[in-house]
Amino acid sequence: MRIVLDRPRCEGHGLCEEAAPDLMHLDEDGELVLDREEISDADAALANAAVRVCPVAALRLA
Amino acid sequence: MTDTAPPISDLDLFDDTVLVDPHPSYAALRDLGGVVHLPANDVHVLTRYDVIRNALGDWESFSSAGAIGFNPMVNAALTGTSLASDPPVHTQLRAALTANLSPRALRGLKDSIDAKADALVEELVNKGSFEAIDGLARALPLAVVADLIGFTGHVRANMLRWGQAAMQVIGPMNQRTAESFPIAGELYDWCSTVAAEDLAPGSVGRGIFEAEARGDIPPNTAGHIIHQYLGAGVDTTIASIGNILALFAAHPEQLALVRENPSLVPAAFNEVLRYWAPVHAWGRRATRDVEVDGVLVPQGAQVAILFGAGNRDPRHYEDPDAFLVGRNPVDHLSFGYGPHGCAGQGLARLEAHAVIEALARRVGRLVVGPEVRVPSNITRSIEELPVLKMAPA
């Protein structure tokens, strides 16, 4: 399972980072960085939570 | 594809009593179905959490083009805005709108907004009793948005009535809408003629004109963007901040929780938004026959999304009629969701978090009198909230 970012859609609200700080973070410019794109079964719940809270639907699992 | 028609209700969504206290009607509609046809308004309302969230994410089935308002005049006036368009056109318009409004663009504002909110709350605690909608709920967003866009002079004085009218006219063509169109027209006319030099140097508003001059955003869009900042960002934020005060006054134990644990501030704002959605109804149009919750929404149907109904859906939230900051409902529907998710939510969070932090830090006891509500087509807010006693922590 991979986490996929629709970069133009991301506005840097940062709710995904709050939900899954081990998987992604906003850098100093407020741009989202995916620290782990390949998601293990152990992290699937966190990844789902991050995808779910994105207010502009910029994240999805593939 | 089903051919089952949705259940029908004789409710008038924009009746005065419904607008002032919509939650009993929301519950009745939600019990009828995820989609209910209201012949009185010629709309199909979406009532349940999953139905609303799915529709908000599915712009191909539920279009915003010419469909977000409930009368043809407002839909014509909003043509060409990101609010009322679908991808791919929407994508470019949205980018122009959010370039100066996204959280990353606003990060530099946090300290000044925190300081404004703290100074206001300090002054009000010193007063001890006051009217809270003018004194705080309106004062903060008006100051923040005026400084952000760089409004000066008569425009500053008109922001409140222009912002209220811009939301009111999204309703059906009732008396409220008819009376508000001339006022919304003043805002529209001003935004059509405003130029860079009308806005304070160094403001975000001036920056939008500079972006237009550089060619970073399409020609003649700067005025439209300023229109949306004012039209969408004032009345709704005022509603939210008034709701924060009223709900903390009604639930002092919830304010105490935030005072003891300030990390609950974002959760508290999420719960305020979930509990009392600032926006009553918002439109979409079905682009095709869509099956929703086992019934048919016919192609061309005007759809009304009831954010507040979804926010109280017991299928999604346990004990939904309780106000509990600890539940942190981060997926509430009050900002919408998906491509049209509230573009100003970052700014709204900055303002609301600043208010909640200041209240938690400075206020011990908060006693209010009865709130006054006035029916309004789209924004549900408190008109007057007498604070009888605000004692220091």
Side-chain angles (χ1 to χ4, degrees):
Chain A
M1 190 165 55
R2 293 179 67 237
I3 196 156
V4 181
L5 168 63
D6 182 342
R7 175 73 62 187
R9 212 181 247 193
C10 174
E11 295 169 355
H13 294 284
L15 303 186
C16 57
E17 180 183 7
E18 287 173 30
D22 292 343
L23 304 184
M24 60 199 68
H25 72 278
L26 292 175
D27 70 11
E28 288 178 3
D29 297 323
E31 295 286 343
L32 187 64
V33 178
L34 296 178
D35 297 303
R36 253 185 276 164
E37 292 186 44
E38 291 294 333
I39 303 299
S40 65
D41 288 351
D43 286 334
L46 276 179
N48 265 310
V51 167
R52 181 152 180 87
V53 298
C54 176
V56 292
L59 290 172
R60 66 187 167 86
L61 291 171
Chain B
M1 173 74 67
T2 180
D3 56 5
T4 305
I8 292 177
S9 162
D10 60 5
L11 184 85
D12 173 1
L13 197 56
F14 298 97
D15 180 81
D16 285 4
T17 55
V18 174
L19 293 173
V20 168
D21 182 18
H23 289 286
S25 303
Y26 290 163
L29 291 172
R30 216 171 36 226
D31 286 347
L32 277 174
V35 184
V36 180
H37 181 209
L38 305 187
N41 307 111
D42 193 20
V43 298
H44 285 65
V45 289
L46 308 187
T47 70
R48 293 181 185 169
Y49 183 95
D50 287 343
V51 166
I52 292 173
R53 181 150 158 134
N54 289 339
L56 290 169
D58 181 7
W59 57 269
E60 288 167 298
S61 304
F62 295 98
S63 168
S64 291
I68 64 141
F70 298 99
N71 71 80
M73 264 176 78
V74 77
N75 284 328
L78 290 169
T79 302
T81 64
S82 64
L83 267 182
S85 55
D86 296 322
V89 174
H90 168 266
T91 308
Q92 192 196 15
L93 293 169
R94 170 92 179 188
L97 179 71
T98 57
N100 293 288
L101 195 57
S102 65
R104 69 176 70 102
L106 295 173
R107 279 179 307 165
L109 289 178
K110 181 177 181 340
D111 290 347
S112 77
I113 291 175
D114 284 348
K116 279 190 178 94
D118 193 61
L120 272 169
V121 171
E122 182 184 23
E123 185 190 320
L124 295 173
V125 171
N126 289 338
K127 273 190 187 164
S129 65
F130 52 91
E131 197 286 296
I133 302 304
D134 268 340
L136 184 62
R138 289 174 180 154
L140 182 68
L142 290 175
V144 167
V145 173
D147 289 353
L148 180 79
I149 307 181
F151 288 135
T152 54
H154 83 287
V155 177
R156 239 183 136 107
N158 278 312
M159 283 176 67
L160 179 62
R161 52 191 285 278
W162 285 359
Q164 288 175 331
M167 294 299 284
Q168 199 76 274
V169 297
I170 291 170
M173 194 45 94
N174 55 22
Q175 190 182 348
R176 282 183 288 271
T177 299
E179 288 172 358
S180 297
F181 258 117
I183 305 168
E186 290 174 31
L187 168 62
Y188 189 86
D189 289 345
W190 182 79
C191 290
S192 307
T193 56
V194 63
E197 56 272 20
D198 297 324
L199 303 171
S203 64
V204 164
R206 185 70 83 94
I208 293 168
F209 277 94
E210 288 160 3
E212 187 184 283
R214 281 195 308 273
D216 291 352
I217 59 172
N220 303 316
T221 50
H224 285 304
I225 290 171
I226 294 195
H227 185 254
Q228 288 192 49
Y229 276 30
L230 231 174
V234 173
D235 209 29
T236 48
T237 317
I238 289 170
S240 306
I241 296 176
N243 291 346
I244 288 169
L245 272 163
L247 286 168
F248 276 148
H251 304 275
E253 78 291 348
Q254 299 297 313
L255 179 57
L257 288 175
V258 183
R259 192 182 304 119
E260 287 153 21
N261 180 4
S263 74
L264 283 173
V265 166
F269 186 42
N270 287 331
E271 180 66 348
V272 169
L273 288 170
R274 184 196 71 83
Y275 195 77
W276 279 346
V279 173
H280 171 53
W282 206 252
R284 291 286 193 271
R285 192 172 309 284
T287 59
R288 57 182 181 86
D289 286 353
V290 193
E291 183 173 337
V292 179
D293 242 16
V295 300
L296 176 73
V297 179
Q299 179 177 1
Q302 170 78 58
V303 170
I305 297 167
L306 303 182
F307 305 103
N311 280 340
R312 299 278 191 106
D313 186 350
R315 293 160 194 78
H316 189 74
Y317 293 111
E318 196 178 322
D319 197 8
D321 294 325
F323 177 75
L324 302 168
V325 299
R327 76 164 84 225
N328 190 19
V330 69
D331 61 350
H332 69 77
L333 298 166
S334 289
F335 283 136
Y337 167 71
H340 290 280
C342 174
Q345 60 184 284
L347 183 60
R349 280 197 192 92
L350 282 178
E351 295 179 49
H353 292 180
V355 167
I356 296 171
E357 276 165 20
L359 291 173
R361 190 167 50 238
R362 292 192 176 276
V363 176
R365 209 160 67 91
L366 180 59
V367 181
V368 300
E371 67 208 31
V372 177
R373 289 184 181 270
V374 175
S376 175
N377 288 332
I378 299 296
T379 314
R380 179 166 183 264
S381 59
I382 299 172
E383 183 69 18
E384 286 175 32
L385 181 68
V387 171
L388 308 174
K389 183 67 192 165
M390 193 189 237

